[in-house]
Amino acid sequence: MTQEKLLPVPPKGSPIDAWNRFWFTPRSPLTLGFIRIFAGFVLFYVHLVYTFDLHNLFGRHGWVNIETVNAIRYDYRPGLLPTGWDALTAEETRELTPVGLPVFSIFFHVTDPVTLVVIHAFILFVMLLFMIGFCTRITSVIVWIGAVSYIQRTPTTLFGIDTMTNILMLYLMIGPSGSALSVDRLIARWWARRKGRELGPPQPSIMANISIRLLQVHFCIVYFVSGMSKLQGGSWWSGTAMWGTMANFSFAPMYSTLYVDFLRMVARERWIWELLMIGGAYCTLALEISFAFMIWRPRWRWLMICFSIALHTGIAIIMGLAGFSMAMLCFVACFIPTEAVQGFVESVQTKLPALKTLSPPPAETLEEAVMAK
């Protein structure tokens, strides 16, 4: 009988040990459940708005009709190689260039207006179920496929909020986002009581931690790339980028007399201009570029979180991008410590005692969580 070979345990404090602890330490699913509620609300709100122009956006004879979409799907060439490249003729180059786009949407195959309404209503209903956490493992997959179907059918409507919610749904689908603050949790407790036992709190899991870490790393990449790309624009170096947004009729609330008077005051007083416009532009650059490095330091974490919340609150108010800002705040929530989320949930439960069954009791220590498993 051969003795089973065990993998060597990396010494504490080594880079491998730090890597393992970062990715594979069990974590409470409470934060994922918290993010699921608000991300589900944002998804439902955005797609509910589509209802008012449903046939114009996704119908057979919409703004981008089905014939144009099919031409893009089957005949579009992403990019031809240069003529004569690698001694190839123009005809050989064209033959080697891939044709079409590998995209999917349920709306590619829907031509009947009534069927379109039924499918849209079904997806909205499933988004509601996902938001409250009912059959989350199933509804999360359906919601993600549905959200991608809207994007792929009419890419002309694609905006930052679609990209961000798509990323959120991917990681919420991977992780156990329905293990806390969900109807699934209520059903599990009900079944346990019917069998004569009491269901304990949701156990910390490695998959919950992996999902949160993927959200965090992805958000850091988004911020860093956004900040570095801004350095290519002269308006960010000169400090006029914020003015171009705040005085833009397409975004800013220029219909408000109070807001227009505020802009006139900023333009009239040099020191206010320097403080708000130039200072705001440089602070935005500093936040987005440094976020990926400073957020991991506990002493800087809450400061970076507060600055990020302030940035996206300002975007929502000044640019009117409320949906995009809410999606980004869902991302920011993945950096909030579980203890803070637990404290918020408990404060809500004191006002709504019926919600006590949705979440675990106060967060236990890591050692206790591992021993419980």
Side-chain angles (χ1 to χ4, degrees):
M1 184 175 181
T2 59
Q3 186 178 4
E4 183 181 358
K5 293 183 178 180
L6 299 177
L7 293 175
V9 178
K12 279 193 173 183
S14 67
I16 297 178
D17 177 62
W19 174 268
N20 290 339
R21 284 187 289 107
F22 181 83
W23 289 105
F24 305 115
T25 299
R27 179 192 290 262
S28 169
L30 183 63
T31 303
L32 274 180
F34 182 77
I35 296 174
R36 187 207 71 245
I37 294 174
F38 291 98
F41 171 77
V42 173
L43 273 168
F44 178 76
Y45 162 72
V46 170
H47 292 85
L48 180 64
V49 173
Y50 286 160
T51 307
F52 301 101
D53 282 306
L54 186 64
H55 296 288
N56 291 330
L57 289 170
F58 309 105
R60 179 182 180 87
H61 304 291
W63 294 326
V64 182
N65 59 41
I66 197 65
E67 289 77 15
T68 302
V69 170
N70 287 332
I72 296 173
R73 290 172 61 201
Y74 298 120
D75 302 327
Y76 175 73
R77 293 179 182 269
L80 290 174
L81 295 172
T83 302
W85 181 82
D86 198 20
L88 296 177
T89 64
E91 189 61 32
E92 290 172 335
T93 301
R94 176 170 289 275
E95 291 178 358
L96 291 175
T97 304
V99 180
L101 294 176
V103 295
F104 166 80
S105 172
I106 188 65
F107 301 113
F108 290 157
H109 313 284
V110 177
T111 57
D112 180 60
V114 176
T115 306
L116 176 62
V117 173
V118 171
I119 292 176
H120 177 66
F122 172 75
I123 295 176
L124 287 178
F125 177 67
V126 177
M127 286 179 176
L128 274 179
L129 295 181
F130 171 75
M131 182 181 69
I132 64 176
F134 179 74
C135 294
T136 315
R137 280 300 186 189
I138 299 174
T139 55
S140 62
V141 176
I142 298 175
V143 168
W144 180 73
I145 294 174
V148 171
S149 293
Y150 287 101
I151 295 171
Q152 305 285 26
R153 170 59 180 87
T154 311
T156 52
T157 64
L158 181 63
F159 196 63
I161 184 174
D162 301 296
T163 303
M164 294 300 107
T165 53
N166 192 13
I167 297 170
L168 280 168
M169 278 307 308
L170 178 63
Y171 298 131
L172 291 175
M173 181 175 59
I174 294 173
S177 59
S179 297
L181 303 176
S182 64
V183 175
D184 289 343
R185 183 69 185 165
L186 282 176
I187 295 174
R189 291 178 67 93
W190 180 79
W191 273 110
R193 288 175 180 174
R194 277 182 61 91
K195 295 179 180 180
R197 59 186 179 85
E198 190 66 29
L199 186 66
Q203 294 299 320
S205 68
I206 293 176
M207 279 309 302
N209 185 57
I210 290 176
S211 299
I212 290 293
R213 292 305 191 190
L214 288 172
L215 279 167
Q216 292 173 343
V217 171
H218 207 136
F219 184 74
C220 288
I221 294 173
V222 169
Y223 252 35
F224 183 75
V225 172
S226 175
M228 295 300 291
S229 65
K230 286 181 173 63
L231 293 179
Q232 300 181 39
S235 60
W236 288 98
W237 288 98
S238 64
T240 59
M242 290 191 61
W243 177 261
T245 300
M246 296 180 65
N248 191 323
F249 279 87
S250 300
F251 293 108
M254 303 297 289
Y255 54 82
S256 171
T257 304
L258 184 63
Y259 182 79
V260 173
D261 291 340
F262 168 74
L263 291 182
R264 288 173 176 167
M265 180 192 67
V266 171
R268 186 169 55 248
E269 301 292 338
R270 178 64 180 266
W271 70 272
I272 299 179
W273 171 275
E274 299 284 351
L275 180 64
L276 294 182
M277 298 297 117
I278 299 180
Y282 289 171
C283 285
T284 301
L285 288 172
L287 170 65
E288 293 186 345
I289 295 174
S290 66
F291 189 92
F293 308 99
M294 305 303 294
I295 192 64
W296 309 110
R297 301 178 178 272
R299 68 173 62 183
W300 289 94
R301 183 166 300 147
W302 277 110
L303 185 64
M304 302 304 289
I305 289 174
C306 291
F307 281 164
S308 183
I309 292 174
L311 171 65
H312 294 293
T313 301
I315 290 175
I317 295 174
I318 295 175
M319 299 182 67
L321 303 177
F324 171 76
S325 296
M326 287 190 293
M328 295 301 290
L329 291 179
C330 291
F331 260 112
V332 176
C334 70
F335 289 100
I336 299 176
T338 305
E339 295 78 10
V341 178
Q342 179 67 46
F344 172 77
V345 172
E346 288 177 353
S347 66
V348 174
Q349 287 174 347
T350 56
K351 300 178 181 179
L352 300 172
L355 296 179
K356 287 187 177 180
T357 57
L358 291 177
S359 64
E364 51 194 357
T365 64
L366 176 61
E367 292 76 11
E368 292 173 342
V370 174
M371 291 299 293
K373 284 181 69 70

